[in-house]
């Protein structure tokens, strides 16, 4: 086997490994899903900041496969408003509310 054949086999093996490594699993996103979730997170944070009644800095936002998780210690009257606002954002499949009412 000459150098060219070995090199081609190496490239094919590397390409196969790259495809398997980037494949999504239930616990890990694929590259496209990660980019989509990053965009959704940006939209959610922008919407929370744009709402003058919400204290967006108190709300943590994480997105995984279109499901947005909201967390943090937030005034009780802001929780429902934040969840409702996020549900209307394009690309959001579900909202997981882990916000805790601040006393």
């Amino acid at each position: 086997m000459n150098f060219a054949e070995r090199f081609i086999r190496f490239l094919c093996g590397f390409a196969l490994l790259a495809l398997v490594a980037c494949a999504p699993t239930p616990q890990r996103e694929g590259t496209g899903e990660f980019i989509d979730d990053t965009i959704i997170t940006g939209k959610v944070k922008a919407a929370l900041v744009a709402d003058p009644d919400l204290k967006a800095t108190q709300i943590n936002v994480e997105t995984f496969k279109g499901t947005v998780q909201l967390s943090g210690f937030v005034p009780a009257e802001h929780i429902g408003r934040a969840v409702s606002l996020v549900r209307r954002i394009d690309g959001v499949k579900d909202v997981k509310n882990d916000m805790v009412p601040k006393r």
Side-chain angles (χ1 to χ4, degrees):
M1 184 181 324
N2 65 25
F3 175 77
E5 289 173 335
R6 285 195 317 253
F7 186 69
I8 289 172
R9 283 188 176 196
F10 169 78
L11 287 178
C12 289
F14 185 76
L16 181 61
L17 178 64
L19 286 174
V20 170
C22 293
T25 66
Q27 293 81 24
R28 188 181 58 157
E29 298 173 302
T31 305
E33 289 171 319
F34 177 78
I35 292 169
D36 291 346
D37 285 344
T38 302
I39 291 169
I40 291 169
T41 299
K43 287 180 184 179
V44 168
K45 288 181 178 182
L48 293 172
V49 168
D51 189 310
D53 296 328
L54 294 176
K55 294 185 179 182
T57 58
Q58 296 176 343
I59 302 173
N60 301 312
V61 179
E62 292 188 41
T63 308
F64 183 72
K65 295 187 177 187
T67 297
V68 177
Q69 178 182 11
L70 302 175
S71 62
F73 294 96
V74 182
E77 62 273 10
H78 293 182
I79 292 175
R81 183 180 183 97
V83 171
S84 176
L85 177 69
V86 172
R87 287 190 196 281
R88 295 190 306 255
I89 295 174
D90 188 39
V92 173
K93 295 178 183 173
D94 194 17
V95 178
K96 184 176 179 193
N97 176 14
D98 288 331
M99 292 181 283
V100 177
K102 191 183 339 184
R103 296 183 180 149

